[in-house]
Amino acid sequence: MKILVAIKQVAARDSQFKVDASGHWVEESDLSFEINEPDAYALEEALQLKERHGGEVVALCAGPARAVSGIREALAKGADRAIHIEVEDLTQFDALGVARLLAKAAETESADLLLTGLQSDDLGYGQTGVILAELLGVPHATIIMAVEKQDGSIRVKRELENGWFQNVTLPLPAVLAVQSGISKLRYATLMGIKKAKSKEIRRLTASDLGVPPSLNIVMERVYTPEKTKRTELLDGDPKQAAAALVEKLKFEARVL
Amino acid sequence: MSSVLVVMEQNAGAWHRMSWETLAAGQEMARQLGVEINGAVVGADVSALASELASKRLNRVYAVTHDLLGQYSPDGMTAALEQLIRKTAPDFVLFPHTYQVRDFAPKLATRFGQTLVPDVIGYRLSGQDLVLVRQLFQGKLNADIRFKSDGVRFASIQAGAFRAEAVEAGQAQVETITPDLNPGLIRTKAEEPFREAARAVDLSAAELIVSVGRGIGEKENLPLVQELAEALGAELAASRPICDNGWLPMERQVGSSGQTVAPKLYLAVGISGAIQHLVGMKGAKTIVAINKDPNAPIFEVADYGIVGDLFEVVPALIEEIRKVKG
């Protein structure tokens, strides 16, 4: 089975952000970057599927030159090769624009399965997988908790709301958007890191793919949200504070 | 006539509560834009739901009905709504930002060459257009999003961003729409939904929730918060670390990877308030936080707070609640 995994490199989770001079994005120079966590789970699932069923795992990433470190990490963990769509400024593409880039590159691979994380930790649009499926004309399923390969199809466990799940069968090829926590992430081994150095990274540009920058929606302004609530702190010893809280719950919040 | 279309979500004949929040947003936007407001409900038989929806302030209710829409599929839903939107040509299409909507709305927007603006928390008027507000970097920053291309605009509304109680009553006419669908169109085959835990908990329907986080320290301390929940008549919930440790079942987890809740009261005990947790509960009407760290982010969203040792505060609170409730 040939599996493509779309990964994005995003600012590390614990980053402190500063809006850049343009006001449209954040200052990236002092940030550190990592593979978007849900995408790391998608990669893990792809590697496990390969271990069970054989085949090839190809990492697919759109991003600036810095994204190479994320691609190398994917290769070190076990991806066989990678495609890097070099885009210096990703803010020139919205979710549909990025999906068009990925779809064009994916078309050249004719994979059986395309995996991606459910959403990115930076923009959080959570739509890349679904749009990709539509552009490629293949079925999809999202919020995937387990994947079971069948003959010519794939059976997945989807997470629904409120603790419900559902099994869905899709014909291949298909796109799956994987939920974080689906399995335990592996670390790259020293051997893996060494091997990654000789693995192929095919470099493409947006113009190679014939996809011009496109924005149906634009981020007009990025800013720190104003704190909208003022917390009323209830002082005193635990007994006094508890009594004051019960008073508030009864007469102000009216939930008692 | 220009219009806003709100696509309501129903599952097996029951409304998704976020549908009403989205309808409230749609009514408010439509009034400010001076355009019509219409609602849609999709399924195999939605006549009862459509009648109920028709008692709200709407110009029209579209009952989009087809046997193939009895069970949700992204292909069926997308095709049905694509036909409705081409026929009725709304300017804005709003969805509640539910798991189901995340599964099909980006596909639908793509059919129109558009990009969905997901998980919207607010908006402002800009001439005859809307500028939408959404969060970036898991809530650390906000962004104002403007539509740049012409054509229909798609957006989904975050849980708790608007109040379901704000939905205005009125009277609408119901128009039944039967989309042109065939079985070959639906490529996925879904089985019956199931639950893994024996005890089913629907936190989203709970009016009062007591939620526990890392501050509880050990599993052996959980009965204390259980007792508090019982005293209040509340459901017990937890932040992710508690469920990851297996101290409480996953179905009780609130947050971006668990459930999104909007109860009347959310009492957070020993929860610091990581953004992944906050997105799941900040729509609660009243939030109370008990935490020993006065700088914990939970106090950013709390209405009332007690800074202190939960092992002293919670027993005192149980006692006070019992006094009041008798």
Side-chain angles (χ1 to χ4, degrees):
Chain A
M1 193 158 54
K2 183 167 172 181
I3 308 171
L4 270 178
V5 188
I7 58 173
K8 182 180 190 180
Q9 200 192 37
V10 298
R13 277 204 165 189
D14 56 358
S15 300
Q16 297 296 317
F17 296 101
K18 222 172 73 193
V19 177
D20 73 8
S22 76
H24 301 308
W25 192 233
V26 294
E27 199 61 68
E28 287 203 348
S29 53
D30 42 5
L31 294 178
S32 65
F33 290 86
E34 58 192 23
I35 296 179
N36 179 47
E37 190 183 88
D39 296 341
Y41 282 101
L43 173 66
E44 179 59 40
E45 192 56 31
L47 295 172
Q48 291 190 17
L49 282 168
K50 183 193 155 180
E51 281 158 9
R52 289 204 294 274
H53 306 289
E56 187 185 21
V57 173
V58 183
L60 175 60
C61 177
R66 63 160 160 79
V68 174
S69 61
I71 293 170
R72 288 266 176 234
E73 188 186 333
L75 294 172
K77 284 184 171 186
D80 297 285
R81 57 191 173 85
I83 302 169
H84 181 192
I85 305 167
E86 285 186 282
V87 182
E88 263 327 296
D89 185 2
L90 267 183
T91 65
Q92 295 306 302
F93 294 82
D94 64 14
L96 178 59
V98 171
R100 278 185 179 135
L101 288 170
L102 297 172
K104 276 285 171 204
E107 273 169 10
T108 65
E109 290 286 339
S110 321
D112 300 298
L113 202 55
L114 202 160
L115 301 186
T116 189
L118 187 60
Q119 60 198 6
S120 62
D121 288 343
D122 53 0
L123 292 174
Y125 278 128
Q127 359 188 346
T128 304
V130 179
I131 299 174
L132 261 175
E134 174 66 14
L135 294 176
L136 294 168
V138 302
H140 76 267
T142 59
I143 326 187
I144 303 303
M145 299 296 294
V147 182
E148 177 196 336
K149 187 188 179 298
Q150 299 182 325
D151 195 21
S153 66
I154 197 123
R155 185 164 175 260
V156 298
K157 178 179 161 192
R158 290 192 63 210
E159 186 183 330
L160 306 177
E161 290 174 37
N162 303 324
W164 288 87
F165 298 90
Q166 183 175 41
N167 289 316
V168 177
T169 304
L170 303 88
L172 295 174
V175 175
L176 304 178
V178 172
Q179 171 72 299
S180 288
I182 183 170
S183 52
K184 206 166 156 14
L185 295 177
R186 74 187 62 194
Y187 290 99
T189 60
L190 274 176
M191 180 62 92
I193 293 165
K194 211 171 148 195
K195 273 191 185 164
K197 287 180 182 147
S198 57
K199 287 180 178 172
E200 180 202 327
I201 301 176
R202 181 151 65 106
R203 291 191 169 77
L204 295 168
T205 64
S207 55
D208 290 340
L209 294 166
V211 180
S214 72
L215 291 168
N216 287 321
I217 56 174
V218 285
M219 274 194 285
E220 192 173 65
R221 190 166 77 93
V222 172
Y223 52 98
T224 308
E226 271 172 48
K227 189 176 170 179
T228 47
K229 272 193 180 172
R230 232 189 69 213
T231 307
E232 192 175 332
L233 290 178
L234 306 167
D235 302 321
D237 65 32
K239 195 170 161 49
Q240 289 167 330
L245 177 58
V246 166
E247 198 76 352
K248 298 285 180 192
L249 294 182
K250 191 171 161 74
F251 296 107
E252 288 181 14
R254 298 180 183 203
V255 291
L256 278 179
Chain B
M1 176 76 189
S2 299
S3 64
V4 173
L5 174 68
V6 174
V7 179
M8 306 283 285
E9 182 169 321
Q10 61 93 14
N11 295 294
W15 293 110
H16 194 298
R17 60 175 291 152
M18 283 168 64
S19 296
W20 299 112
E21 298 171 5
T22 306
L23 181 58
Q27 285 182 332
E28 189 184 300
M29 288 174 183
R31 178 181 315 98
Q32 292 180 6
L33 288 164
V35 302
E36 281 192 358
I37 170 84
N38 300 315
V41 53
V42 182
D45 176 12
V46 293
S47 48
L49 293 171
S51 312
E52 189 189 345
L53 188 55
S55 70
K56 307 303 174 193
R57 188 179 67 76
L58 288 164
N59 294 88
R60 256 177 305 276
V61 168
Y62 300 112
V64 182
T65 313
H66 197 290
D67 284 348
L68 290 171
L69 299 170
Q71 188 182 45
Y72 166 76
S73 70
D75 287 335
M77 186 65 99
T78 302
L81 288 175
E82 181 188 357
Q83 290 173 37
L84 175 71
I85 291 164
R86 294 211 190 276
K87 188 177 149 84
T88 59
D91 304 83
F92 293 92
V93 181
L94 302 181
F95 305 91
H97 191 66
T98 61
Y99 279 24
Q100 187 175 103
V101 163
R102 292 188 230 181
D103 193 57
F104 76 83
K107 181 180 176 72
L108 178 64
T110 303
R111 291 263 165 104
F112 289 85
Q114 300 293 336
T115 309
L116 168 79
V117 181
D119 218 7
V120 167
I121 59 168
Y123 73 97
R124 65 181 160 84
L125 223 53
S126 170
Q128 267 308 98
D129 210 344
L130 299 175
V131 172
L132 303 179
V133 183
R134 62 185 305 281
Q135 296 169 309
L136 304 178
F137 301 106
Q138 305 182 306
K140 286 182 183 166
L141 293 176
N142 279 2
D144 289 350
I145 311 278
R146 186 182 283 278
F147 293 97
K148 204 171 156 221
S149 61
D150 294 330
V152 54
R153 282 119 160 72
F154 295 88
S156 62
I157 308 292
Q158 187 174 92
F162 293 83
R163 293 249 147 245
E165 302 89 271
V167 169
E168 295 167 55
Q171 205 176 3
Q173 68 189 81
V174 177
E175 190 178 324
T176 301
I177 305 245
T178 308
D180 179 19
L181 304 175
N182 64 75
L185 188 85
I186 296 163
R187 294 167 292 184
T188 54
K189 203 166 144 275
E191 297 164 37
E192 281 303 306
F194 62 94
R195 284 187 141 145
E196 292 191 323
R199 246 181 339 152
V201 189
D202 185 4
L203 291 178
S204 69
E207 296 218 315
L208 310 176
I209 291 177
V210 168
S211 196
V212 58
R214 251 188 251 269
I216 196 69
E218 296 174 39
K219 188 179 183 183
E220 287 61 41
N221 298 329
L222 277 179
L224 181 63
V225 281
Q226 263 152 356
E227 202 183 330
L228 175 61
E230 275 159 29
L232 270 170
E235 279 285 357
L236 185 64
S239 63
R240 179 141 196 163
I242 301 297
C243 299
D244 276 350
N245 286 341
W247 296 355
L248 281 173
M250 293 303 278
E251 59 177 359
R252 292 197 180 264
Q253 185 194 322
V254 167
S256 56
S257 54
Q259 300 197 42
T260 299
V261 298
K264 282 188 185 159
L265 173 69
Y266 191 90
L267 204 168
V269 179
I271 292 178
S272 67
I275 187 66
Q276 291 86 347
H277 187 75
L278 298 185
V279 297
M281 47 61 79
K282 65 180 169 47
K285 195 157 187 185
T286 300
I287 297 170
V288 178
I290 300 171
N291 204 294
K292 64 179 184 330
D293 176 9
N295 296 317
I298 191 77
F299 289 118
E300 294 281 314
V301 299
D303 299 282
Y304 306 107
I306 297 178
V307 178
D309 181 351
L310 73 90
F311 297 104
E312 292 175 10
V313 175
V314 172
L317 190 54
I318 293 168
E319 201 185 313
E320 292 298 323
I321 289 165
R322 285 186 180 146
K323 266 191 216 161
V324 172
K325 294 192 87 169

